[in-house]
Structure formats: structure tokens, C-alpha cells
Amino acid sequence: MNVLLTGGAGYIGSHTALELLRAGHDVVIADDFSNSSESSVRAIEKETGKKVRLYACDVSDALKCKMIFEENKFDAVIHFAGYKAVGESVAKPLMYFRNNFLSAIAVLESMLEHGVNLFVFSSSATVYGTCQDMPLVESSSLGVTSPYGRTKLVIEQMCEDVCKANPDFKAVMLRYFNPIGADASLAVGENPKGIPNNLMPYLCKVASGELDHLSVFGKDYDTPDGTCIRDFIHISDLASGHMAAVEKSGSLPKGISCFNLGTGKGTSVDELVSIFNSVNGNKVKFVYAGRRPGDVPVSYADVSKANEVLGWKASHSLEDACATAYAYQMKCSEGRH
Ligand code: WQD
């Protein structure tokens, strides 16, 4: 299949590109490099020995987006492009609404115009809002806890309407839990610009000496060790989930389908830090700090739907995720000094 990956140079997009190319699919990437770089695309090409057609542009620019569809024939689009920092979205909601909504609209319009009927969307477990019934199933109640989360939820709803109006259209919402780690080749990985917001990249930068210590946000939650619980999933598993969605799309019903992509297992922040230390031979300096506003105490997935319908299941360990995340961080740090 020939698949357009918007935001394909980013953390999740680049790993998905690797999986698709390794499986023999063709990939076109459109990315404005606002939170990624062209070097990831070159690394993907080097690792797979395959050429990737690259458009260095912002797909929320409808004219540029149309041009991509005029110059290629796609079987599917995986839409990763979008801003993703929760805290930043609270400070700059309109920036998030403009970018995330306009890019989704431009891509969907171009797809309809060119008869491309499979849209896979980079959604998030954040669409479950403050729902406390664990594990989260696709039919759990939905809600919004940040402008970022609102963009994910509203784009899911937009897709539902687009499907109703276009009976041949299929939209697959992939609700990610907490992706961590890097591809075994270390060709690509996670190395956010600036101070990381998410736990694993922060942990890696403390371990590599770039940051002094980790603040563990909250030790007084109603969980066994008092820290939050999340469903951390290896990025390579998340990437293979996208491939399963594309490859199994023929058997999906027309209209919208939603899938959780997680492991089904909750791990606390304290547990993750100790796995990281034992795998990497580190003793990461950390302090317990107050709760971070907006954090839900516990979040983990029921993954039976993706398992049954897509034939997909996470298989990599958290040990592997911690080892590759840190190895990729060290590779980047060495490159810089
Ligand atoms: C995990 C746990 C923190 C940093 C977010 C988005 C989600 C998705 C992934 C986008 C929490 C704790 C974190 C730190 C800490 N989207 N933590 N110290 O919040 O579960 O999910 O990222 O990319 O939509 O909401 O992930 O990695 O930020 O936090 O103690 O320095 O680690 O409080 O309990 P989160 P996270």
C-alpha cells in the first residue's frame, strides 16, 4: 500500500514509517519539522534502504495539502501531524485549535476530493477524560481535560460526521496510551526539543546528566505506592498497531472504528523509574513533588478489541523500552557534544 504519513518525521510517525517500509509498503511523509527534523527521515531511509518521498510543509495549509494528493495516489492516510503538549495547550488553546483542527480538515478534504477512503487518526487515551472505570474500554465515557484533549475528541467526532456523509469512508481512531522507548536499530527515537513534558524523555535526560533530577508528581494517590499508574507501551508495538489498522482495514466496517493501543497493564511512576534504573545501571536522582494539575490517578487500557479485530497485541517489554529509550538519548547526547 502507498500510505501518506502526516507528521511522519515525529516520534510515533517515524517508527510507523519504519514498520511500514520494513513490511514492504510505500511511505510518503509530510512534516513541517516544528517538533521533528529531516534527519529522522534520512535515518529511516538509511535503515530500510528505501526512498521516502518527503514534503516539508504544514498540511494545515490546504493548498499545499492538495498538491500532495495531486502528485501521489494513496491507499491510506495516517494523520499524526498536530501539537501534543498538554500544558502548552492550556496556555495557548487557540494555537492548538488552529493547528490541530485545520490540519485534520485539510487532510480530510483532500482525501474526499481524491477518493482516498481510509483515514487512520492519531488519537489518545486523553479522550477518556476523567473516566475512572478501569480498564478503559472503547465504549467508556469520554471527556476533556485540556485543549489538547479537546482537539483529539472533536477530531474523532468530526470523523464520525465525515463517515456519515460519505458512506465509503473508513476512519480508524487509534487511542494511544503512553508510548515510550525506541526502535531496536536506534535509527529513530524520542528526543523532544527543550525541557521534556513526558516522564520517559525527562527520565532519560536526568540519566544522561542533561537535567539534574526528576520530580515525581504526587506520592499521595490512592494507588499501591502512591504514584500515578499508566499503561506504558513500547513505541514499536504502537507502530505495529498502525500497520495492523492499515492492513486489516479491508475487514473493518465502513464508518468509524476506535481502538485502544496499550498493553492492558498498569505500571506506576515509581515502578517505571526502578525498571529504568535496573536496566540501565543508573540511579536517577528524583524528588517527590506535588501532584501535577490535570493528571488522572490511574489510566490503563482494555486491549481486547484491537487484539480480536486487528489481530494486534503489544509484545515488547518495559525493560526493552527503558533500555532503548536511554540508548537513543545517549546516542543523541554524544552527537551533540
Ligand atoms: C506520566 C506520569 C506524571 C513527568 C500525556 C498526555 C497524553 C499523551 C501522552 C501526548 C504522570 C508523571 C511526568 C515528570 C512525573 N499525549 N510524571 N514527572 O500525562 O500520562 O500523558 O502524554 O503526547 O495525551 O496526556 O504522560 O509522561 O506526561 O506522565 O512524575 O517529569 O508521569 O505526573 O503520572 P501522561 P506523562
Side-chain angles (χ1 to χ4, degrees), residues 147-277:
Y148 159 76
R150 189 180 302 284
T151 66
K152 295 293 177 191
L153 187 58
V154 171
I155 293 170
E156 285 203 0
Q157 292 163 341
M158 277 167 37
C159 287
E160 210 172 331
D161 291 337
V162 169
C163 288
K164 277 187 199 143
N166 299 275
D168 287 332
F169 202 77
K170 289 185 185 179
V172 185
M173 310 292 104
L174 299 181
R175 295 175 176 164
Y176 312 149
F177 282 71
N178 291 60
I180 57 171
D183 184 74
S185 68
L186 304 184
V188 289
E190 184 175 28
N191 187 24
K193 292 178 181 168
I195 305 227
N197 300 300
N198 299 119
L199 178 60
M200 183 55 91
Y202 205 103
L203 201 46
C204 287
K205 284 192 195 281
V206 174
S208 73
E210 279 177 56
L211 293 170
D212 180 64
H213 68 275
L214 172 77
S215 294
V216 172
F217 299 134
K219 182 66 175 165
D220 58 349
Y221 285 101
D222 186 14
T223 58
D225 63 22
T227 65
C228 286
I229 290 177
R230 293 289 180 273
D231 188 337
F232 297 101
I233 173 169
H234 195 295
I235 188 70
S236 299
D237 285 325
L238 199 71
S240 70
H242 291 76
M243 196 165 73
V246 168
E247 289 183 341
K248 292 282 166 67
S249 59
S251 60
L252 293 178
K254 298 223 166 106
I256 189 162
S257 313
C258 304
F259 295 98
N260 286 340
L261 294 186
T263 63
K265 185 177 173 296
T267 302
S268 77
V269 174
D270 266 358
E271 283 170 333
L272 192 76
V273 172
S274 81
I275 296 172
F276 186 94
N277 281 334

Side-chain angles (χ1 to χ4, degrees), residues 81-198:
Y83 294 152
K84 60 166 193 173
V86 177
E88 184 184 52
S89 80
V90 174
K92 299 175 182 170
L94 292 173
M95 183 175 111
Y96 271 65
F97 297 153
R98 175 185 293 279
N99 184 60
N100 292 8
F101 291 143
L102 291 188
S103 61
I105 291 168
V107 170
L108 287 164
E109 279 180 342
S110 293
M111 289 180 71
L112 293 180
E113 218 171 279
H114 290 84
V116 183
N117 282 325
L118 178 60
F119 181 74
V120 177
F121 179 54
S122 188
S123 190
S124 165
T126 192
V127 299
Y128 295 113
T130 53
C131 177
Q132 287 173 21
D133 305 328
M134 295 297 143
L136 293 160
V137 284
E138 286 80 356
S139 55
S140 290
S141 65
L142 304 178
V144 164
T145 55
S146 70
Y148 159 76
R150 189 180 302 284
T151 66
K152 295 293 177 191
L153 187 58
V154 171
I155 293 170
E156 285 203 0
Q157 292 163 341
M158 277 167 37
C159 287
E160 210 172 331
D161 291 337
V162 169
C163 288
K164 277 187 199 143
N166 299 275
D168 287 332
F169 202 77
K170 289 185 185 179
V172 185
M173 310 292 104
L174 299 181
R175 295 175 176 164
Y176 312 149
F177 282 71
N178 291 60
I180 57 171
D183 184 74
S185 68
L186 304 184
V188 289
E190 184 175 28
N191 187 24
K193 292 178 181 168
I195 305 227
N197 300 300
N198 299 119

